[in-house]
Amino acid sequence: MRTAYFDCVSGISGDMILGALVDAGIALSDLIEELQKLHLDEFQITAERVTRHSISATKVNVLAIEGHKHRNLDSVLQIITQSDLPASTKEKASSCFQRLAEAEADVHGTTPDQVHFHEVGAVDAIVDVVGSISALDLLGIEQVRGSMLRFGRGTTKGSHGPMPIPVPAVVAMCQGIPSERTNIPSELVTPTGAAILTTLASSIGEPLILTPEKVGYGAGSRDLEQTPNLLRVEIGEVDSVQNTETLILLETNIDDMTQEIYGYLLEQLLTSGARDAHLTPIIMKKGRPGVQVSVLTEPQLANRISSLIIRETTTLGVRRTVVDRVSVSRTSSTVETRFGTIRVKIADIEGESRITPEYEDCARIARENGVPILDVYSSVTPR
């Protein structure tokens, strides 16, 4: 599967994404041609060669002639939907701004439709989002992956006054994503960069086996002393059956707990971010029946999950084992059936697609329509 892997060693922003993709081989003229489909005349886009800590890179500059206009979500989406862009580009770009609006709404205690974008509502932000998606399509990218994010510290000035770094909207969009807090006194991850990566990437911070064919470096505006202010993109093929990641297997044996609690425990484990959790009946010492609780989790969540197990059960200890997991690349999508829209996971196995409906959607539709759940499943994947 043709993959773009963004190595966010110095964070990520919209113009850094554009610079990296241009550096990887996209002709600026082709990118401009796609952006003209927005029917916005208030911007110019240029590219130049720069160096950051002696590393050559491309710096893309988007000059917004209109200045910084304040737009709400509807006005931004209207610009996108009324353009001549491909339907897939419109959908992805709209999703980026929808995600950003939801994050801003959560931070400010309002609703997405009431959010007024400031810096990210300007033409340059729209160009960054649409341009990044268009460049990925021009490169034939089938999936986006990203490294762990790095955040700076301090404060930055926004339309609402001084804001902590990372800004609240970035923190909201990056919940559940591995990240490192550095001592670099600069905003490394911008709201636009976070919106693009967290919307488009199928995974962030997970290992992968990639055969690179092209590499590009996109430069940020600042020349930082502590790190080369660069975003690297590696483009190549990922074997769909050779994606590996390191996880932690947590286990404990229990023989003195009320049975009803186990269902609650599994629910709490999965809600707290565990990849998987299951129970196994076992026979313990002196022939006593017991239950083995097994939980698979990411390394950065292992302490939290271990504490949860100890807090919510009668166990006095949890075993940890480092395991390698081999997984198949997958994407999320929706399909239209005679019962309505159903979310699905699509796995790529040696060039063949395997479609699996989301249980929650199938169960809900079965209840609402009074039909067997198997009929709903077969409307997605006919038997």
Side-chain angles (χ1 to χ4, degrees):
M1 179 177 289
R2 190 164 177 79
T3 300
Y5 175 73
F6 288 101
D7 189 0
C8 309
V9 63
S10 297
I12 190 168
S13 64
D15 59 338
M16 291 170 77
I17 296 174
L18 286 178
L21 295 173
V22 170
D23 203 57
I26 286 296
L28 187 63
S29 58
D30 292 339
L31 181 58
I32 292 173
E33 184 178 346
E34 288 299 305
L35 289 170
Q36 287 174 343
K37 296 177 182 178
L38 281 167
H39 304 304
L40 292 174
D41 299 325
E42 304 96 340
F43 75 93
Q44 295 176 350
I45 182 169
T46 61
E48 59 180 319
R49 300 299 299 172
V50 299
T51 59
R52 297 288 185 264
H53 288 227
S54 300
I55 300 174
S56 180
T58 296
K59 176 71 177 75
V60 167
N61 304 295
V62 179
L63 174 62
I65 300 172
E66 66 160 7
H68 286 283
K69 284 187 179 179
H70 295 179
R71 294 187 173 94
N72 60 18
L73 178 61
D74 285 343
S75 62
V76 173
L77 296 182
Q78 188 174 20
I79 291 172
I80 295 170
T81 56
Q82 291 182 354
S83 71
D84 292 329
L85 293 163
S88 62
T89 302
K90 292 181 182 180
E91 180 182 358
K92 293 173 185 176
S94 297
S95 296
C96 287
F97 280 102
Q98 181 70 43
R99 181 173 179 81
L100 183 56
E102 291 172 357
E104 292 281 5
D106 181 62
V107 168
H108 298 296
T110 183
T111 58
D113 58 301
Q114 294 297 317
V115 167
H116 283 271
F117 294 130
H118 299 283
E119 292 84 357
V120 292
V123 162
D124 50 350
I126 298 172
V127 170
D128 284 344
V129 171
V130 173
S132 298
I133 294 168
S134 298
L136 289 167
D137 288 342
L138 289 170
L139 285 166
I141 301 302
E142 298 172 277
Q143 71 167 344
V144 173
R145 307 280 287 269
S147 71
M148 179 179 70
L149 294 175
R150 302 185 78 205
F151 295 129
R153 63 172 177 83
T155 60
T156 186
K157 187 175 181 180
S159 57
H160 297 287
M163 302 284 281
I165 295 174
V167 298
V170 168
V171 174
M173 286 186 284
C174 294
Q175 291 184 40
I177 292 174
S179 59
E180 175 189 357
R181 262 61 176 179
T182 74
N183 285 322
I184 300 173
S186 182
E187 183 181 24
L188 302 183
V189 178
T190 68
T192 305
I196 295 170
L197 186 65
T198 60
T199 302
L200 301 184
S202 58
S203 70
I204 299 175
E206 296 183 2
L208 79 161
I209 297 175
L210 174 72
T211 304
E213 299 169 3
K214 298 180 178 180
V215 179
Y217 290 88
S221 299
R222 298 182 180 89
D223 196 353
L224 302 176
E225 178 183 351
Q226 299 85 351
T227 182
N229 192 17
L230 299 172
L231 173 69
R232 178 166 56 199
V233 63
E234 298 178 50
I235 296 171
E237 292 294 327
V238 170
D239 192 322
S240 62
V241 297
Q242 291 190 16
N243 294 333
T244 61
E245 56 184 329
T246 299
L247 299 175
I248 303 296
L249 177 63
L250 305 173
E251 292 182 319
T252 189
N253 299 340
I254 303 174
D255 65 357
D256 60 348
M257 190 170 77
T258 302
Q259 299 298 303
E260 291 89 342
I261 294 177
Y262 288 108
Y264 175 80
L265 174 64
L266 290 180
E267 178 183 331
Q268 291 300 304
L269 289 168
L270 295 174
T271 301
S272 298
R275 289 290 190 87
D276 194 11
H278 66 272
L279 308 173
T280 306
I282 57 174
I283 301 298
M284 299 177 62
K285 61 184 179 181
K286 299 181 181 180
R288 294 199 301 265
V291 174
Q292 178 175 281
V293 179
S294 302
V295 185
L296 200 60
T297 183
E298 297 170 356
Q300 64 270 19
L301 297 179
N303 287 338
R304 183 199 304 176
I305 299 296
S306 297
S307 297
L308 188 152
I309 295 172
I310 293 172
R311 186 174 65 251
E312 297 288 355
T313 71
T314 58
T315 190
L316 298 178
V318 176
R319 300 184 297 276
R320 295 190 184 195
T321 306
V322 178
V323 297
D324 289 331
R325 178 175 181 261
V326 179
S327 62
V328 175
S329 296
R330 72 204 74 174
T331 57
S332 297
S333 186
T334 58
V335 297
E336 296 297 328
T337 74
R338 67 179 187 274
F339 297 110
T341 302
I342 297 178
R343 293 173 299 163
V344 297
K345 288 189 177 70
I346 305 175
D348 179 19
I349 303 177
E350 297 181 353
E352 297 291 331
S353 293
R354 180 183 297 173
I355 300 176
T356 304
E358 290 286 0
Y359 162 77
E360 289 81 2
D361 285 7
C362 293
R364 173 182 55 79
I365 289 174
R367 295 189 194 100
E368 291 175 352
N369 292 271
V371 298
I373 192 171
L374 287 177
D375 289 353
V376 182
Y377 267 87
S378 64
S379 71
V380 178
T381 54
R383 292 172 289 183

